[in-house]
């Protein structure tokens, strides 16, 4: 049971909205602001991460909680009266595995709470609209659900032609005008639309300079994933199911997680036609497919297994490829992408280097958390080998930096064997197993 279901005033109101949205898919909601209440924001506050970085005002969750009821009431009053001013998002650069950096936005804490409250209201409207092919940032859905659906669909078709697509800078290129047009199809409440408009125009603060981009969603904002789903639901999901599928000669299906998606086709001619028209469809909404990362792949089941360069494609951190089951049958397997594995090991090495003088117990606890976190995502059926490699390399990295914490050379293995016997790392574990459904959290 979710928090909204366990709180009667919130649950009843949003359930009525969801029911009406499901019964009337063409209805535009004109009165929604009355659902944004102190009770709703109190739930939003509980759902908001408390240990996140602070925004430009320096306010922490603890600061906000010191006078919680007063702060929530003030937030509601300002939001509904139009006096609320969306603060700029503090931008920081996070290093990527390839040496480049990725910008991350950090909103203020009260902005996160308000965005989450509005997102809860909008979710009750849009969730009945969203199609089963969409898995990103939705209740009861996950990346593992998308991976499972992709594998099952390809096995169902016995392989086929895979269109692997990449949208260039989607969250920074989303067209505000088009988004407003799409929103007004379902939401016409002035308070809600005004708040979303303020968040879109808030801009970012970087190195003391305030930038107001003409496109894109609020970076790091709680509401950004929902706005992205609303946009791509219209641009891609509905278009594919209403206009593309009826015109195809063979079977096909779409799997999308936020802005990452793959389309699989049974027939090559269908795949090539969609591959040709897809960039035009996206261009009409101000989006561009990355020409080097968007490709059409022959992913049919191989006839011969001596191919030195078997077909494969990547999605959500996994490489998908044809392999053999234990019984010798041809199956689609999924393993950790090499780039993701390399990035995780690089992060481990940097941590061990910076904390090599910390107590062994502290290092052991941190590395154990990292290993469990890695397995929590990458621990799927068929990926046990990659998990074992990761654990083995973590041990080697740990040993390497422990050797450097003293000037005395330790060439014997005795000390190391004793250390890992006393501080063993958890085993590499398949968390999301198709053989053990109950293993999945």
């Amino acid at each position: 049971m979710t928090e909204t279901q366990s709180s009667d005033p919130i649950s009843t109101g949003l359930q009525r909205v969801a029911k009406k949205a499901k019964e009337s898919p063409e209805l535009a909601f004109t009165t929604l602001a009355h659902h944004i209440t102190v009770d709703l924001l109190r739930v939003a506050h509980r759902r908001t991460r408390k240990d996140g970085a602070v925004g430009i005002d320096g306010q922490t969750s603890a600061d906000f909680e010191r006078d919680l009821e007063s702060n929530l009431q003030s937030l509601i009053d300002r939001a509904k009266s139009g006096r609320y001013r969306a603060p700029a998002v503090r931008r920081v650069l996070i290093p990527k595995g390839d040496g480049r950096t990725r910008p991350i936005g950090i909103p203020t804490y009260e902005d996160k709470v308000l965005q989450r409250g509005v997102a809860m209201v909008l979710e009750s409207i849009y969730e009945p609209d969203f199609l089963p092919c969409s898995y990103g940032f939705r209740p009861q859905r996950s990346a593992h659900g998308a991976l499972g659906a992709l594998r099952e669909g390809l096995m169902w078709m016995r392989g086929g032609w895979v269109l692997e697509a990449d949208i260039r800078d989607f969250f920074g290129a989303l067209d505000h005008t088009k988004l407003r047009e799409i929103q007004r199809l379902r939401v016409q409440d002035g308070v809600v639309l005004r708040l979303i408009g303020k968040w879109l125009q808030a801009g970012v603060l970087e190195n003391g300079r305030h930038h107001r981009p003409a496109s894109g969603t609020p970076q790091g904002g709680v509401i950004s994933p929902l706005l992205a789903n609303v946009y791509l639901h219209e641009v891609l999901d509905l278009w594919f199911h209403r206009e593309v599928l009826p015109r195809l000669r063979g079977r096909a299906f779409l799997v999308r997680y936020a802005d990452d998606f793959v389309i699989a086709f049974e027939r090559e001619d269908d795949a090539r036609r969609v591959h040709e028209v897809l960039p035009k469809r996206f261009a009409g909404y101000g989006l561009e497919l990355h020409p080097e990362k968007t490709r059409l792949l022959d992913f049919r089941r191989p006839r011969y297994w001596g191919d030195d360069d078997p077909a494969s494609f990547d999605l959500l951190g996994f490489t998908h490829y044809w392999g053999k089951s234990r019984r010798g049958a041809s199956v689609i397997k999924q393993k950790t992408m090499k780039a993701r594995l390399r990035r995780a090991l690089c992060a481990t090495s940097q941590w061990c280097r910076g904390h090599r003088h910390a107590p062994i117990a502290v290092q052991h606890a941190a590395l154990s958390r990292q290993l469990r976190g890695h397995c929590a995502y990458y621990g799927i059926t068929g990926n046990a080998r990659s998990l074992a490699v990761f654990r083995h390399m973590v041990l080697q990295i740990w040993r390497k930096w422990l050797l450097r914490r003293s000037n005395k050379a330790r060439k014997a293995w005795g000390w190391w064997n004793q250390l890992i016997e006393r501080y063993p790392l958890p085993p590499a574990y398949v968390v999301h197993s198709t053989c053990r459904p109950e293993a999945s959290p």
Side-chain angles (χ1 to χ4, degrees):
M1 179 178 291
T2 64
E3 288 187 73
T4 55
Q5 290 174 320
S6 63
S7 180
D8 288 341
I10 300 172
S11 174
T12 304
L14 295 188
Q15 283 178 0
R16 284 199 299 265
V17 172
K19 182 180 179 181
K20 187 177 293 186
K22 186 175 182 178
E23 294 174 347
S24 307
E26 305 299 326
L27 175 66
F29 289 81
T30 57
T31 55
L32 292 171
H34 63 282
H35 293 290
I36 306 175
T37 64
V38 171
D39 289 334
L40 180 78
L41 291 192
R42 193 180 296 112
V43 175
H45 161 68
R46 288 201 296 267
R47 292 183 177 183
T48 302
R49 181 178 172 181
K50 304 300 187 293
D51 59 348
V54 299
I56 61 173
D57 61 353
Q59 185 186 52
T60 65
S61 61
D63 297 332
F64 191 80
E65 285 179 338
R66 287 194 184 98
D67 195 4
L68 180 61
E69 296 305 314
S70 176
N71 287 333
L72 292 178
Q73 188 62 57
S74 171
L75 192 55
I76 283 286
D77 293 341
R78 285 179 285 139
K80 293 188 176 182
S81 66
R83 293 182 291 111
Y84 183 78
R85 298 185 62 183
V89 174
R90 183 167 69 89
R91 175 184 284 177
V92 296
L93 300 178
I94 304 298
K96 298 176 66 174
D98 55 6
R100 297 180 298 171
T101 58
R102 178 165 57 97
I104 294 293
I106 305 174
T108 63
Y109 185 80
E110 75 164 9
D111 203 42
K112 293 178 185 178
V113 172
L114 184 57
Q115 286 192 32
R116 189 172 296 278
V118 173
M120 290 165 62
V121 175
L122 294 179
E123 189 177 86
S124 65
I125 297 173
Y126 286 110
E127 191 58 33
D129 291 351
F130 291 153
L131 301 181
C133 64
S134 170
Y135 289 86
F137 306 103
R138 293 181 58 191
Q140 311 302 320
R141 287 179 165 251
S142 66
H144 296 102
L147 292 167
L150 177 60
R151 183 182 182 279
E152 291 175 7
L154 285 170
M155 289 294 294
W156 167 65
M157 290 198 317
R158 298 182 180 180
W161 292 80
V162 170
L163 178 54
E164 181 185 9
D166 182 88
I167 306 175
R168 192 195 293 270
D169 187 26
F170 169 72
F171 286 95
L174 189 146
D175 187 284
H176 291 175
T177 302
K178 291 290 185 180
L179 176 61
R180 292 188 184 96
E181 293 175 1
I182 295 172
Q183 281 180 312
R184 288 186 176 277
L185 296 176
R186 289 297 256 164
V187 177
Q188 295 183 5
D189 181 275
V191 172
V192 173
L193 292 178
R194 183 171 62 240
L195 284 172
I196 295 175
K198 289 182 177 182
W199 286 321
L200 292 175
Q201 298 296 327
V204 297
L205 187 67
E206 184 178 9
N207 297 325
R209 300 182 61 185
H210 190 188
H211 306 276
R212 294 184 183 271
S215 60
T217 60
Q219 292 194 6
V222 176
I223 204 167
S224 292
L226 177 60
L227 296 180
N229 274 336
V230 170
Y231 203 75
L232 287 177
H233 171 72
E234 180 72 23
V235 177
L236 179 62
D237 301 355
L238 284 180
W239 171 74
F240 179 76
H241 284 86
R242 291 181 178 177
E243 300 185 31
V244 175
L245 276 180
R247 293 178 170 85
L248 300 182
R249 301 175 62 187
R251 296 176 293 182
F253 67 92
L254 163 70
V255 173
R256 180 176 67 81
Y257 186 92
D259 61 325
D260 294 322
F261 69 93
V262 161
I263 308 177
F265 303 87
E266 184 180 27
R267 296 175 58 96
E268 180 183 4
D269 55 347
D270 288 338
R272 295 198 178 279
R273 286 164 55 201
V274 175
H275 186 211
E276 181 180 352
V277 75
L278 191 64
K280 302 174 184 177
R281 171 68 180 181
F282 275 72
Y285 288 84
L287 301 176
E288 179 185 2
L289 293 179
H290 199 297
E292 297 178 0
K293 297 181 180 180
T294 300
R295 59 175 183 146
L296 188 60
L297 174 72
D298 183 355
F299 197 69
R300 291 173 294 180
R301 183 173 56 184
R303 295 183 179 180
Y304 307 101
W305 288 98
D307 191 355
D308 295 332
D309 187 22
S312 66
F313 66 94
D314 299 327
L315 181 69
L316 299 177
F318 288 88
T319 297
H320 306 256
Y321 64 101
W322 280 99
K324 288 280 190 178
S325 69
R326 292 183 178 181
R327 297 183 179 181
S330 298
V331 296
I332 295 172
K333 295 188 174 183
Q334 299 161 319
K335 64 181 180 180
T336 310
M337 285 172 52
K338 291 182 179 179
R340 294 293 182 90
L341 185 61
R342 185 166 53 248
R343 185 170 70 185
L345 291 173
C346 181
T348 300
S349 182
Q350 291 177 354
W351 189 93
C352 288
R353 178 183 181 181
H355 297 80
R356 62 185 182 273
H357 295 295
I360 298 297
V362 173
Q363 297 186 42
H364 171 260
L367 293 176
S368 296
R369 286 194 300 269
Q370 182 180 5
L371 187 56
R372 292 192 187 97
H374 186 87
C375 291
Y377 184 75
Y378 293 103
I380 65 173
T381 300
N383 197 34
R385 183 177 179 181
S386 293
L387 299 178
V389 168
F390 179 74
R391 183 182 185 275
H392 173 75
M393 294 304 300
V394 168
L395 283 169
Q396 298 304 308
I397 292 170
W398 192 19
R399 179 179 181 272
K400 167 188 171 181
W401 289 108
L402 285 179
L403 281 170
R404 299 191 181 188
R405 61 188 279 167
S406 172
N407 292 328
K408 297 179 180 179
R410 297 176 177 176
K411 297 183 179 180
W413 284 88
W415 71 275
W416 173 247
N417 292 333
Q418 293 176 6
L419 186 144
I420 60 175
E421 183 177 349
R422 182 178 179 183
Y423 297 99
L425 290 181
Y429 186 66
V430 175
V431 177
H432 308 275
S433 173
T434 56
C435 303
R436 295 177 285 104
E438 69 280 2
S440 299

